[in-house]
Amino acid sequence: MAADLGDLAAFVAVAEAGGFRDGARASGLSASGLSEAVRRLEHRLGVRLLNRTTRSVAPTEAGQRLLERLTPALGEVEAALDVVNGFRDRPAGTLRLNVPVSAARLVLPAIVPPFLAAYPDIRLDVIAEDSFVDVLAAGCDAGIRYDERLEQDMIAVPIGPREQRFATAAAPAYLDRHGRPEHPRALLDHACIGGRFASGAALAWEFERDGEVVRVDPSGPLVVRVGTASDLAVDAAVAGVGIITLFEDWLRPHLDSGALEPVLEPWWPRFSGPFLYYSGRRYLPAPLRAFVDFIGRQRRSP
C-alpha cells in the first residue's frame, strides 16, 4: 500500500501546525493543496487521519500513531537529500530559526542581510517568540537563546554581542515631576512599566553594584508581554507613563536622543550574550552548516 511521499509530508505539516492554513504557511504550499493531499492519503489508507472542526484540526488515534513514525522518517529523508548539497557550488534550502523577539530585533539585523547576500540560494525562515520551545519538535533547525535557557544536549555557538546590559530609564518630564531614584528600592515609590512572560511570570527587576544584588518588584499602570509588546512599553515610557527596564541596545536610540534619561545607571546589571544552539545528535543540514560557518567567520573578522 504505497503512499506518495508528498502526501505524507502534507499530512505531517497539517498535523504539526494544527490546521490547514497554518500548515500552508509553514510548508509554503496552499491550504487547498494540503487538504487535497490529506484526503488522497486517507482514501488510499482507508482510515481517517485528522479530525476536522470549524475551529481546529487534530490527529485521530491512527493519525497520531502515523505522525509519531513519520516525523523522524521524513527527517531522515530530508537529511539524505541534503547530502546532495555537498556537491553544489552554493548550499541551498530552507533554514528555520526559532529566536526570542529581542534577538530578532537586536542580534539578527547585523547578520541576516550579509548572510543572505553570501548564500542567495538559502531561504531563511525566522520564528520570533519568547516562550521556551523544543526547536526540533517545532520543526526548526536551530534557535537562539541565552545560556540559562540552553538545553544540556545541545551545541551552543556564540552569536551577537558577548555581553549585554539591562537599562533602566524614564522620560525627563516624568523624572522632573516625580524625582530621580538614587537606589533601586526607591523604585517602589514610582510608576514602573512591568513585563510578563508568556508563562504568566512577571519580569523581575534586578540590579547589581559592587557585588550587591538588589531585586525589586515594582508596580505601575502598565504591564506588557515581554518581547512582543516591548515597543508599546518603550513608547509609553517616552510619553512619560513611568520607568522602564529593558535591553540597553533596545533603549539606546531613545537614550541618545534624550527622549529617555538613564536611571540608576551604576546599578545596570550585565549578562552574557546569546547563543545559536542546535542538536548535535543528527546530520547537520547544509543551510545550517553554512549559517554556523558564517557566524564563526563573522566573529573572527575584525
Side-chain angles (χ1 to χ4, degrees):
M1 189 183 297
D4 183 86
L5 190 60
D7 292 352
L8 293 171
F11 161 70
V12 171
V14 173
E16 289 184 340
F20 289 95
R21 289 184 179 179
D22 289 340
R25 281 193 289 267
S27 64
L29 303 173
S30 68
S32 59
L34 290 178
S35 179
E36 178 59 31
V38 172
R39 280 198 298 267
R40 193 163 51 238
L41 181 61
E42 289 179 327
H43 177 74
R44 183 173 295 140
L45 298 178
V47 63
R48 177 176 290 275
L49 300 174
L50 296 174
N51 286 320
R52 305 161 176 83
T53 69
T54 56
R55 294 185 178 182
S56 66
V57 173
T60 63
E61 182 178 357
Q64 185 61 40
R65 294 288 183 88
L66 179 61
L67 182 65
E68 291 170 357
R69 300 293 296 271
L70 269 182
T71 302
L74 289 177
E76 288 298 319
V77 170
E78 183 178 351
L81 293 174
D82 191 62
V83 171
V84 179
N85 252 329
F87 295 91
R88 294 173 55 93
D89 293 332
R90 297 181 305 196
T94 298
L95 172 61
R96 297 180 180 87
L97 299 178
N98 184 285
V99 307
V101 175
S102 59
R105 183 183 180 94
L106 305 177
V107 176
L108 290 183
I111 296 172
V112 168
F115 173 73
L116 293 178
Y119 298 97
D121 294 332
I122 291 179
R123 176 176 178 265
L124 193 58
D125 185 351
V126 178
I127 301 169
E129 59 182 354
D130 285 290
S131 56
F132 187 62
V133 300
D134 182 330
V135 292
L136 299 183
C140 296
D141 301 295
I144 294 178
R145 288 294 183 271
Y146 287 85
D147 55 359
E148 70 271 17
R149 304 190 71 180
L150 291 176
E151 298 176 39
Q152 296 300 315
D153 59 348
M154 304 294 277
I155 295 175
V157 178
I159 186 172
R162 297 324 310 141
E163 186 177 75
Q164 294 179 278
R165 291 197 300 178
F166 272 114
T168 304
Y174 171 89
L175 297 173
D176 289 341
R177 291 195 307 269
H178 300 281
R180 289 164 171 78
E182 297 181 357
H183 191 277
R185 294 191 184 91
L187 293 172
L188 297 174
D189 297 323
H190 282 267
C192 295
I193 300 172
R196 193 173 300 281
F197 295 104
S199 64
L203 174 66
W205 290 33
E206 184 174 294
F207 301 87
E208 183 177 0
R209 182 178 185 180
D210 299 329
E212 180 185 2
V213 177
V214 178
R215 296 178 178 86
V216 296
D217 185 19
S219 61
L222 177 64
V223 178
V224 303
R225 171 80 171 266
V226 171
T228 53
S230 291
D231 279 331
L232 171 61
V234 174
D235 291 342
V238 170
V241 170
I243 299 177
I244 186 173
T245 284
L246 195 61
F247 288 90
E248 179 183 2
D249 292 340
W250 204 318
L251 297 181
R252 178 50 57 191
H254 303 286
L255 294 168
D256 290 343
S257 70
L260 291 177
E261 178 182 323
V263 173
L264 299 168
E265 186 168 2
W267 288 88
W268 290 359
R270 299 178 181 272
F271 54 96
S272 62
F275 291 83
L276 174 75
Y277 75 107
Y278 54 92
S279 173
R281 296 176 296 177
R282 67 171 190 168
Y283 176 79
L284 208 62
L288 177 56
R289 169 51 61 192
F291 191 69
V292 171
D293 292 343
F294 181 84
I295 296 301
R297 291 195 302 271
Q298 194 177 58
R299 293 200 58 78
R300 290 192 297 269
S301 63

